[in-house]
């Protein structure tokens, strides 16, 4: 007897990515990148400015429980992956998500891998001092993973974060770009813009040294992770 026709295929599981921000300014940035690069991706934003304030004051590890609570909420609401867009608490988010399904990613890890590939001398530009140590540690992790030697030099931009907090985004971005432009090829193989909020400064720089920012590669990596999770969750 002829076999019965196959029934309709079950609809593909939606690809949902949760983003953990410590500033609302990141929401439109990542929404725009999603529209440009990942139009089928659904995103859910979780914004908690107090996480960064407390991490700067008391240390990133002091917000671990609150970060875990956000991750659990995101997973409960259907996220296939979670992306932390704050460099200061990125390591905390990764640690809280270790061994979890779905995966938890930090936005700056792909950028760090790009920096390591560029050469052994990397300058880290930051507007918040609490970002410098986590970013340097991440770069050294990626260098060890790649089997490469790396020298990291921090470059804190004085006054830039005060401009950001005052709402002077243009002044903040210009200050970051000027700091990046102060780095020459004689001293660095790559310049890392440590904070996601710095990404627009990349378009203003004129230095010959490659200037790297985290939002686009970080979102791409998280979108791939969320897509894999959605595929694994889809019924056969």
């Amino acid at each position: 007897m002829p076999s019965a026709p196959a029934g309709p295929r079950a609809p593909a599981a939606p690809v949902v990515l949760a983003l953990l921000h410590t500033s609302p300014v990141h929401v439109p940035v990542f929404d725009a990148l999603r529209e440009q690069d990942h139009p089928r991706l659904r995103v859910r934003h979780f914004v908690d400015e107090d996480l960064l304030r407390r991490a700067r004051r008391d240390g990133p590890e002091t917000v671990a429980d609150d970060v875990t609570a956000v991750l659990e909420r995101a997973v409960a609401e259907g996220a296939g992956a979670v992306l932390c867009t704050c460099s200061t608490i990125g390591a905390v988010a990764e640690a809280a998500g270790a061994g979890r399904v779905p995966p938890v990613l930090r936005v700056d890890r792909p950028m760090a891998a790009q920096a390591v590939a560029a050469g052994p001398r990397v300058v880290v530009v930051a507007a918040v001092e609490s970002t410098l140590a986590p970013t340097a540690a991440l770069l050294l992790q990626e260098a060890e993973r790649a089997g490469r030697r790396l020298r990291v030099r921090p470059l804190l931009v004085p006054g830039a974060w005060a401009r950001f907090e005052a709402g002077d985004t243009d002044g903040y971005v210009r200050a970051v770009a000027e700091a990046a432009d102060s780095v020459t090829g004689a001293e660095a193989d790559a310049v890392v813009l440590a904070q996601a909020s710095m990404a627009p400064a990349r378009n203003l720089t004129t230095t010959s040294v490659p200037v790297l920012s985290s939002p686009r590669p970080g979102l791409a990596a998280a979108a791939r992770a969320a897509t894999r999770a959605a595929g694994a969750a889809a019924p056969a």
Side-chain angles (χ1 to χ4, degrees), residues 51-67:
L51 290 176
L52 180 57
R53 281 193 291 266
R54 290 166 48 210
R56 292 180 63 196
R57 184 187 67 219
D58 304 322
E61 67 284 351
T62 63
V63 300
D65 289 345
D66 296 289
V67 169

Side-chain angles (χ1 to χ4, degrees), residues 40-232:
R40 296 186 179 181
L41 180 69
R42 291 170 52 188
V43 298
R44 292 178 180 160
H45 299 283
F46 297 82
V47 181
D48 189 340
E49 295 179 270
D50 191 52
L51 290 176
L52 180 57
R53 281 193 291 266
R54 290 166 48 210
R56 292 180 63 196
R57 184 187 67 219
D58 304 322
E61 67 284 351
T62 63
V63 300
D65 289 345
D66 296 289
V67 169
T68 298
V70 175
L71 300 182
E72 291 175 347
R73 179 182 164 199
V75 171
E77 293 184 10
V82 182
L83 179 66
C84 177
T85 66
C86 176
S87 298
T88 296
I89 64 169
V92 172
E94 272 193 336
R100 285 178 179 265
V101 177
V104 178
L105 300 87
R106 56 186 293 178
V107 73
D108 48 357
R109 188 170 287 282
M111 174 186 66
Q114 291 175 350
V116 169
R121 303 167 303 165
V122 176
V123 172
V124 176
V125 178
V128 175
E129 189 171 4
S130 62
T131 301
L132 290 171
T135 303
L138 174 63
L139 286 161
L140 293 172
Q141 284 177 15
E142 288 299 314
E144 183 177 4
R145 179 181 298 180
R148 299 191 177 200
R149 300 183 60 142
L150 192 71
R151 185 170 75 250
V152 179
R153 179 167 74 85
L155 179 56
L156 188 65
V157 188
W161 193 246
R163 293 183 179 184
F164 180 86
E165 291 183 314
D168 181 11
T169 304
D170 289 343
Y172 168 68
V173 169
R174 284 196 304 271
V176 171
E178 289 171 4
D181 278 341
S182 72
V183 180
T184 69
E187 56 189 319
D189 300 296
V191 173
V192 163
L193 302 182
Q195 296 160 244
S197 57
M198 294 178 162
R202 185 182 181 192
N203 297 327
L204 301 180
T205 58
T206 58
T207 178
S208 61
V209 181
V211 178
L212 308 177
S213 61
S214 62
R216 177 164 263 123
L219 182 62
R224 289 191 295 269
T227 300
R228 287 193 296 268

